[in-house]
Amino acid sequence: MSPATESQNGDGYPESRVLIIGTGGTICMQPGPDGLQPSEGFLESAMAPRPSFNDPSAPKVKLQAPENPPTAYHRHIRYGIVEFNPLLDSSSISASDWAAMARTVRDNYHLYDGFVILHGTDSLAYSASALSFMMANLGKPVILTGSQAPIFSLQSDGVDNLLGSLIIAGTFVIPEVGLFFHHKLYRGNRTTKVSAASFEAFASPNCEPLARVNGLGIDVNWPLVLRPTTIAAFRVHETLDTAHVACLRVFPGIKPEMVDAVLHLPDIRGLVLETFGMGNVPGGVDGRLTQVIRSAVERGVIVVNVSQCVSGFVSPVYAPGTQLGRAGVIFGLDLTPEAALTKLSYLLGLPGLSNKDISDRLSRSLRGEMTEISHPTFSHPSASLDNAASRLTPRESAFAALGYAIQNHEVDVVRKILDGDGMQLLKQADYAGNTAVHLAAVSGSTDIMLELLKRGASVHERNRADNSPLFLATLTGREDCAQLLKSAGAHLSVEEIERGPLLGAARAAQP
Ligand code: ASN
């Protein structure tokens, strides 16, 4: 397979496109009469004057936006910005703002490789959790970030956080809603704000970071990265029911009447109960508090038990927790309160779900928000290859074997190879940057393509020539593969559509 055309600017490096969605937060704040408040025009005031965000040598011909100088990954990142009006201190964020963020990503999904949402830190973990549930079959990175000090201050974490987010969003196909802060990319729905002032403001106590900035490079923990495994296009659920849920933290001496009062609020549908340790509440076995909660569950209120501890999980180990379970309370395992509240709101906002459906979905992981991941270990027979192949790593050898199986339409061999360590091989690429999906796109086997997609292979990776699998399938006339890729959310990039002689075919391939 040879590159069709190269997407190039002056220095020959390909470029990615990232959309920055400015919602407000300290990163864009300036002093006002009542203290810090968000200011408009982030592009002109904060990014354009800084060489790291505005490469003076780059031709600005396509989008009305500057681009980064080439990164350590030999890519330029061209970005556009849209800003909320009005910009918000994130302490005022609401479900309608989450819907606006999700809509902006959806409406621009085909135009950009990744998205960075600038956001205040106060409710950042809530927004990251909410968006993770609202976005189904996400195939591209959506990274929320902000800062503890305004980017205009002498000492600020704003530049590092924004630059790290932009580079990750424009370089790696990490198809999750992430939160980038202080050199780490976390799974958004695992985060919690742990410091009001330190630059290390966020933690993800029950889940390792998805990526870390490590000196000049970025280490991505690929086995941890989740990928959509259903053949379906990206979709946004806009409606979260935050109006009928509450969050209550128990404390020594809490009166059952207080809890009862909350559980009798008009139209209350769900409660996140923050309990002690592994899920205990005061009052002992079959105490008044448990009875109050049981009656609410019987009236149809969904109650989720999460721990006040930042790490660990709730479990029916002690009698009070077990009694709550018998009263119909759902064990939230290691859900953060932020994830529990937004997951409950998301499920209550989905049409047509019964309480049983909601309870079932609360008890299992939908977007990696709870721990239930196992890591397969890698072993492949081709590790024993010798002679010329001995220069290859075992994984490169396995990928070569996979490539031949794809080319020969040997779906059983493909399955066998992927059963070893599919996740790693799906990230692997050949010397020209072609992933298994690129190879399947030109080989034309829909069975193999389906196998790759069901295992979470990305349809958005581009090879060294900046070609997507859909582009190659279209170019080589593999219509069935192109259709399948489109059903899994693939689309052509702006550059691919712009490529002159291929324009007709490319346009025809648009969903
Ligand atoms: N109050 C600010 C906000 O959440 C805090 C921050 O961004 N550091 O918008």
Side-chain angles (χ1 to χ4, degrees):
M1 176 176 10
S2 62
T5 56
E6 298 242 349
S7 163
Q8 292 183 346
N9 45 40
D11 53 22
Y13 292 141
E15 68 181 28
S16 306
R17 297 184 174 205
V18 175
L19 181 63
I20 301 175
I21 302 168
T23 70
T26 296
I27 194 164
C28 71
M29 287 193 187
Q30 310 255 23
D34 297 326
L36 287 173
Q37 55 192 51
S39 60
E40 289 166 16
F42 194 76
L43 176 68
E44 298 77 22
S45 59
M47 297 189 78
R50 290 187 162 80
S52 47
F53 292 120
N54 191 3
D55 184 353
S57 66
K60 298 174 189 60
V61 287
K62 291 175 187 164
L63 285 176
Q64 293 303 310
E67 63 179 14
N68 286 50
T71 67
Y73 297 92
H74 300 303
R75 260 189 182 275
H76 286 275
I77 294 159
R78 189 178 286 270
Y79 56 87
I81 296 198
V82 287
E83 278 183 344
F84 268 33
N85 183 12
L87 291 162
L88 298 168
D89 184 303
S90 80
S91 47
S92 300
I93 226 87
S94 66
S96 62
D97 299 313
W98 294 332
M101 290 176 216
R103 266 198 308 272
T104 309
V105 171
R106 183 196 61 203
D107 295 348
N108 292 280
Y109 194 73
H110 287 68
L111 300 175
Y112 293 90
D113 300 298
F115 300 84
V116 170
I117 300 182
L118 291 181
H119 194 291
T121 58
D122 287 344
S123 62
L124 189 51
Y126 288 90
S127 296
S129 300
L131 290 173
S132 78
F133 297 117
M134 296 164 82
M135 295 183 179
N137 310 311
L138 180 63
K140 301 183 178 189
V142 174
I143 301 180
L144 290 96
T145 194
S147 66
Q148 292 285 60
I151 201 165
F152 313 104
S153 308
L154 186 58
Q155 282 188 294
S156 170
D157 48 341
V159 169
D160 273 0
N161 289 346
L162 177 54
L163 196 56
S165 303
L166 263 182
I167 292 174
I168 295 177
T171 310
F172 303 106
V173 184
I174 299 177
E176 294 209 35
V177 175
L179 189 161
F180 184 81
F181 225 87
H182 200 61
H183 319 306
K184 289 185 189 136
L185 178 72
Y186 303 104
R187 176 169 298 148
N189 55 33
R190 292 298 201 132
T191 58
T192 190
K193 186 174 179 182
V194 290
S195 174
S198 157
F199 285 176
E200 194 163 4
F202 288 87
S204 165
N206 287 311
C207 183
E208 284 289 299
L210 298 177
R212 289 171 207 264
V213 177
N214 173 12
L216 283 179
I218 294 167
D219 293 332
V220 181
N221 188 349
W222 286 114
L224 200 58
V225 173
L226 294 175
R227 299 176 178 80
T229 52
T230 44
I231 311 296
F234 172 59
R235 212 157 26 105
V236 164
H237 297 277
E238 285 187 42
T239 324
L240 255 66
D241 185 354
T242 49
H244 305 109
V245 293
C247 210
L248 194 64
R249 185 178 167 97
V250 303
F251 52 89
I254 187 171
K255 291 204 173 81
E257 296 75 31
M258 285 181 188
V259 180
D260 202 31
V262 172
L263 288 168
H264 273 99
L265 285 170
D267 301 328
I268 183 114
R269 297 180 67 199
L271 176 74
V272 175
L273 195 64
E274 292 186 44
T275 58
F276 301 133
M278 291 183 97
N280 299 318
V281 291
V285 176
D286 261 345
R288 257 290 284 149
L289 187 53
T290 307
Q291 284 175 25
V292 158
I293 293 169
R294 173 180 286 121
S295 329
V297 172
E298 283 165 7
R299 291 195 302 275
V301 181
I302 294 172
V303 184
V304 191
N305 184 352
V306 297
S307 178
Q308 293 178 14
C309 299
V310 288
S311 75
F313 50 90
V314 295
S315 169
V317 171
Y318 298 95
T322 308
Q323 289 299 322
L324 283 181
R326 289 204 186 117
V329 171
I330 294 152
F331 289 100
L333 303 179
D334 60 355
L335 278 176
T336 61
E338 293 90 332
L341 192 78
T342 51
K343 185 175 181 179
L344 189 54
S345 309
Y346 160 72
L347 292 172
L348 288 170
L350 287 180
L353 293 189
S354 66
N355 273 17
K356 162 115 184 35
D357 296 333
I358 294 176
S359 304
D360 287 349
R361 290 178 203 202
L362 279 168
S363 308
R364 60 186 161 86
S365 172
L366 302 180
R367 307 276 193 269
E369 72 281 4
M370 287 171 150
T371 301
E372 56 167 36
I373 302 164
S374 68
H375 300 283
T377 51
F378 179 68
S379 83
H380 185 265
S382 63
S384 63
L385 286 179
D386 50 15
N387 302 331
S390 66
R391 289 191 359 246
L392 301 178
T393 63
R395 191 169 297 143
E396 285 167 341
S397 301
F399 187 77
L402 180 64
Y404 279 111
I406 292 172
Q407 194 187 359
N408 297 334
H409 292 215
E410 295 167 330
V411 66
D412 288 341
V413 180
V414 167
R415 268 192 206 115
K416 217 157 149 192
I417 295 174
L418 292 176
D419 283 344
D421 188 7
M423 276 304 186
Q424 293 296 343
L425 286 180
L426 295 181
K427 281 305 304 169
Q428 186 73 27
D430 68 10
Y431 66 94
N434 295 304
T435 63
V437 181
H438 286 94
L439 302 180
V442 290
S443 90
S445 163
T446 47
D447 286 351
I448 290 178
M449 184 64 87
L450 201 57
E451 193 65 35
L452 298 173
L453 300 180
K454 282 195 310 202
R455 289 172 188 256
S458 172
V459 297
H460 299 296
E461 294 279 2
R462 298 217 289 267
N463 66 12
R464 294 245 161 85
D466 232 11
N467 294 325
S468 65
L470 176 59
F471 184 83
L472 296 181
T474 309
L475 194 63
T476 52
R478 305 295 192 190
E479 275 312 314
D480 291 350
C481 274
Q483 276 311 329
L484 185 52
L485 284 164
K486 281 191 273 180
S487 331
H491 61 82
L492 296 170
S493 72
V494 177
E495 287 88 354
E496 286 172 333
I497 295 170
E498 280 171 356
R499 279 175 206 163
L502 301 163
L503 200 61
R507 282 227 172 101
Q510 274 299 79

